[in-house]
Amino acid sequence: MASQSRRNPQSDPLLTPENCLLVLIDYQAPQLNTLRSMDSLQLVANTVALAETARLFDLPRILSTVGVESGVNPDTWPSIKDAMKGALNFDRTSINAWEDADFVSAVKATGRRKIIMGALWTEVCLAFPALDALRDGFEVLVPVDVVGGTSVEAHQAGLDRAIQSGAQPVSWISVLCELQRDWNRGNTAAGMLGIGSRHGGPWSSEIALKQFAAPGH
């Protein structure tokens, strides 16, 4: 079986390592502690997996917080901040990240039009910038298992609002698989298996991991 020729990675309608970026907004203790739509520990684990995926595929990564410099809020949750090491970091006063000039300039400076966007809470810090980014001509993909709200109903309303305006619902695992796309892309195959095994269950045997880590893959 032979794979088709690889599509142009810039114009591919699906995600590629060359056409998208990851944005994470307000993954801070007050937001995590008030989540009611899913287990906060699971959400943190999913977010770490997504951040590791972005790092594996060398995506531009932007991390944003609100109220840290003013002393209102603590910084990004430690495990998420560690997984986003090397990302651009912007602290804001605006509730809507898309109303922060430095944040928006950084997104636009990547030259990429597909934004994988996660934020807490769904109904506020995800919905507001997602709607604005869509109006500015970006594609917005929302990993539904890394966002959460102050209630199940509020979370769902935030998702519905974004999706009805054109955002695309995905999951962290679908992002991982979409970026990899073909097991013949050996530079990232072992890393993909590693992330999947750590965060998504026993995807592979040690034999498979060794195979993809071998020279020539």
Side-chain angles (χ1 to χ4, degrees), residues 38-124:
M38 72 175 292
D39 179 73
S40 59
L41 292 179
Q42 184 61 61
L43 184 140
V44 167
N46 293 345
T47 307
V48 167
L50 180 64
E52 290 181 1
T53 296
R55 187 165 56 189
L56 171 67
F57 290 95
D58 199 25
L59 305 187
R61 294 167 295 139
I62 297 174
L63 185 62
S64 188
T65 53
V66 63
V68 174
E69 292 179 6
S70 65
V72 174
N73 290 319
D75 204 352
T76 301
W77 193 259
S79 60
I80 296 173
K81 186 170 184 178
D82 184 63
M84 288 288 283
K85 186 176 180 179
L88 295 175
N89 198 339
F90 298 96
D91 188 56
R92 318 178 318 278
T93 59
S94 61
I95 293 173
N96 177 4
W98 213 260
E99 293 183 70
D100 183 271
D102 292 336
F103 174 87
V104 176
S105 293
V107 172
K108 292 181 177 179
T110 68
R112 302 184 178 204
R113 307 302 296 178
K114 299 179 189 290
I115 306 174
I116 304 164
M117 183 181 292
L120 300 178
W121 304 303
T122 314
E123 66 269 30
V124 179

Side-chain angles (χ1 to χ4, degrees), residues 113-117 129-130 133-134 138-142 166-169:
R113 307 302 296 178
K114 299 179 189 290
I115 306 174
I116 304 164
M117 183 181 292
L134 288 163
F138 289 86
E139 291 184 50
V140 176
L141 297 96
V142 179
Q168 302 171 46

Side-chain angles (χ1 to χ4, degrees), residues 151-166:
S151 68
V152 172
E153 294 82 3
H155 164 73
Q156 192 59 54
L159 275 184
D160 289 347
R161 188 179 182 189
I163 292 168
Q164 288 170 13
S165 296

Side-chain angles (χ1 to χ4, degrees), residues 176 183 189-213:
L176 176 65
W183 290 113
M192 176 189 178
L193 286 170
I195 292 171
S197 295
R198 288 193 302 276
H199 300 289
W203 282 18
S204 59
S205 66
E206 290 188 11
I207 294 174
L209 285 169
K210 290 177 181 178
Q211 175 186 348
F212 284 107

